Amino acid sequence: MRRGAGRLGAAAAAAAPHHEAPQQGGGRCSCSAGRAAAGVLPCALAALSPSAARRPASAPQRHPAPVPARWPGPGALPGASPGVRRRRPPRPRPRAGRRGAARLEKLARRPGEPRSFQAVLPPELWIHLAVVACGNRLEETLVMLKSAVLFSHRKIQFHIFTEDSLKPEFDKQLRQWPDSYTKKFEHRIYPITFSVGNPQEWKKLFKPCAAQRLFLPVILKDVDSLLYVDTDVLFLRPVDDIWKLLRLFNSTQLAAMAPEHEIPKIGWYSRFARHPFYGSAGVNSGVMLMNLTRIRSTQFKNSMIPTGLAWEDMLYPLYQKYKNAITWGDQDLLNIIFYFNPECLYVFPCQWNYRPDHCMYGSNCREAEHEGVSVLHGNRGVYHDDKQPTFRALYEAIRDFPFQDNLFQSMYYPLQLKFLETVHTLCGRIPQVFLKQIEKTMKRAYEKHVIIHVGPNQMH
């Protein structure tokens, strides 16, 4: 979202940020793209792989010093010479697909050392998650952050942009979480600031402070890549999984969002928009991956001047030109930007930004039907009214879950019972879509706890 010190140092050197993502078809866009952090973890793992660590044939061989003879111990073979012990069965090799973070942690720990989450990854490999919260969004934001921490593996840096009146409460609430969870993240709180244009005008665009997300590349100058989410988002699987989508960017892409609608002919943009928008149905900015390094170094095509404009220089003139035509504020501005720069956007499936529109008129997100909902987006206030009780049930289950309780007993099973009360709605008739990923995530968390913390020999 730091087997010996020499090898770990080589891994850290190989894992330096700003690696270029592999190109997947298509030529270069007019964007002058920087480097992506998407390839950081694979580079670190490649440096630690057996093939990378293999010595050349010409390298001198080291011979171990002679070992003095010892008295036979309890495990010695009967009749064997002193010092000969029973050979232990070989340890099973790790399965393919084990998480790179776990490998780095194993190498970072010495034998007998306790597990330490902070030792898993150096800071440049953390996940960076940003959110903007103003007005009455305190509880909603804390529940979102809680869902991120509950299931994730890599350490997360939270970037919280909020009003001065909410800063003390955010800090107080986050510090009250149990140590087993607070060690999985660090948080920093920022004021609401707009570097160009009229701050009061930006602050009132669509919803309070929502336009702040447009200025994240300018404010977070030391952050390479970032995941931005709205306050009404819930993670139903590790944040690590959506973070991996950065690796799928080609050499021109610098941001990723999901479509606004799966059926263009009934989508909002295709029917009502009075401004340019991306693709055939537009995109929804409630969940947005960004390569900030590329955004900062890009000259964007636009409808105002014949040459490209830098991100910060483009924002206010763009708003001034379209302010009388936009309805959804900053999301509309992002649609306009990527209408003129479509090669710079990666579009991920709807399961990563699942909203009431995907089920309230009938299920229309195929990826969620097959894989389950990965990221839930309860827009239109559905967590706080009775219009979509399925969304509200998930929100309340995560909000009310005591950190130290069993996930299955205190969250999953009560959630199943709550879903029985929602079958009168179209969303409530497809509970498996909402429960599939959260069940997988809980099973993985349970297995990890039993096998790693309890141990396979103590399971009986």
Side-chain angles (χ1 to χ4, degrees):
M1 7 8 38
R2 206 198 260 217
R3 204 169 196 130
R7 182 176 293 184
L8 187 60
H18 312 315
H19 287 274
E20 187 69 53
Q23 183 167 356
Q24 296 183 354
R28 291 191 61 85
C29 89
S30 63
C31 318
S32 152
R35 297 192 177 268
V40 170
L41 191 54
C43 292
L45 298 180
L48 299 176
S49 65
S51 61
R54 192 178 294 121
R55 286 184 183 175
S58 59
Q61 302 294 320
R62 296 183 180 179
H63 300 283
V67 180
R70 298 180 181 177
W71 290 102
L77 296 172
S81 58
V84 178
R85 302 178 63 84
R86 180 179 298 150
R87 182 177 297 174
R88 293 182 178 179
R91 293 182 179 178
R93 292 183 178 182
R95 296 175 296 169
R98 291 290 292 268
R99 292 181 179 85
R103 293 183 182 179
L104 284 174
E105 179 188 16
K106 183 178 179 181
L107 290 168
R109 293 200 328 268
R110 296 178 180 178
E113 261 188 7
R115 293 174 60 86
S116 171
F117 193 93
Q118 287 84 344
V120 175
L121 292 173
E124 60 266 23
L125 296 183
W126 293 358
I127 294 170
H128 289 264
L129 177 65
V131 64
V132 179
C134 291
N136 60 350
R137 300 284 180 159
L138 174 67
E139 179 193 278
E140 205 172 69
T141 306
L142 289 170
V143 176
M144 181 276 292
L145 298 175
K146 183 179 182 180
S147 72
V149 170
L150 277 176
F151 306 123
S152 295
H153 307 294
R154 291 170 65 175
K155 191 162 183 176
I156 306 175
Q157 175 72 56
F158 293 144
H159 302 275
I160 304 170
F161 292 81
T162 190
E163 298 166 310
D164 292 340
S165 59
L166 294 179
K167 287 180 182 179
E169 195 62 26
F170 267 115
D171 197 58
K172 174 185 174 183
Q173 293 288 340
L174 291 172
R175 294 184 188 280
Q176 287 178 351
W177 289 2
D179 291 344
S180 57
Y181 288 95
T182 56
K183 70 181 182 181
K184 296 176 67 175
F185 72 91
E186 292 184 5
H187 72 278
R188 183 176 176 184
I189 302 176
Y190 305 79
I192 301 297
T193 55
F194 304 99
S195 58
V196 295
N198 184 341
Q200 293 304 318
E201 200 172 10
W202 282 119
K203 193 170 183 178
K204 295 176 181 178
L205 182 64
F206 185 48
K207 291 183 179 179
C209 309
Q212 180 71 74
R213 88 181 81 182
L214 297 174
F215 295 86
L216 296 180
V218 181
I219 298 170
L220 302 176
K221 295 183 182 296
D222 297 328
V223 177
D224 179 76
S225 294
L226 182 75
L227 172 62
Y228 167 86
V229 296
D230 286 347
T231 60
D232 51 9
V233 160
L234 294 173
F235 295 95
L236 305 186
R237 65 189 289 181
V239 183
D240 314 50
D241 295 337
I242 189 172
W243 189 255
K244 291 175 184 176
L245 297 181
L246 286 165
R247 303 177 188 173
L248 303 182
F249 284 18
N250 64 24
S251 61
T252 71
Q253 292 163 341
L254 46 76
M257 288 180 276
E260 172 64 26
H261 209 285
E262 298 304 302
I263 307 174
K265 65 180 181 181
I266 62 173
W268 191 92
Y269 281 108
S270 57
R271 292 187 294 164
F272 306 116
R274 295 180 291 129
H275 57 79
F277 56 89
Y278 178 87
S280 59
V283 286
N284 184 283
S285 61
V287 180
M288 183 177 180
L289 274 171
M290 291 180 276
N291 185 314
L292 301 183
T293 300
R294 291 185 174 185
I295 291 176
R296 286 188 288 261
S297 62
T298 295
Q299 294 292 312
F300 290 88
K301 298 190 297 288
N302 60 87
S303 61
M304 295 165 289
I305 61 174
T307 58
L309 283 171
W311 182 268
E312 184 178 15
D313 298 334
M314 173 180 56
L315 291 177
Y316 194 64
L318 192 73
Y319 168 68
Q320 287 296 317
K321 179 173 182 177
Y322 291 102
K323 64 180 181 181
N324 294 323
I326 59 178
T327 302
W328 307 112
D330 54 308
Q331 176 173 295
D332 289 348
L333 293 179
L334 289 168
N335 268 279
I336 296 169
I337 291 171
F338 290 110
Y339 168 83
F340 290 105
N341 301 271
E343 63 276 18
C344 296
L345 184 67
Y346 175 86
V347 180
F348 51 65
C350 50
Q351 72 185 81
W352 300 103
N353 187 349
Y354 192 91
R355 305 179 300 282
D357 284 344
H358 291 120
C359 60
M360 62 189 296
Y361 305 116
S363 181
N364 58 56
C365 179
R366 292 182 180 179
E367 290 82 0
E369 292 173 3
H370 296 153
E371 300 291 331
V373 176
S374 298
V375 179
L376 193 74
H377 185 182
N379 60 349
R380 302 175 185 168
V382 294
Y383 295 150
H384 312 293
D385 59 31
D386 297 323
K387 294 179 181 178
Q388 297 300 331
T390 310
F391 283 75
R392 182 171 181 172
L394 276 161
Y395 175 81
E396 292 178 348
I398 295 175
R399 181 196 65 189
D400 299 337
F401 171 72
F403 273 108
Q404 305 291 14
D405 279 17
N406 181 280
L407 283 168
F408 276 102
Q409 293 178 355
S410 299
M411 184 186 294
Y412 185 72
Y413 295 138
L415 193 55
Q416 286 182 313
L417 294 176
K418 284 187 177 182
F419 273 16
L420 293 176
E421 302 172 3
T422 69
V423 294
H424 63 284
T425 66
L426 289 177
C427 293
R429 294 176 188 175
I430 50 172
Q432 71 282 357
V433 169
F434 295 90
L435 292 174
K436 186 176 292 187
Q437 276 299 332
I438 199 169
E439 181 181 5
K440 286 182 181 179
T441 300
M442 289 181 180
K443 282 183 177 179
R444 286 197 296 265
Y446 174 76
E447 290 168 357
K448 181 179 178 182
H449 173 78
V450 170
I451 296 173
I452 294 179
H453 295 281
V454 178
N457 297 329
Q458 303 179 37
M459 294 172 60
H460 304 290

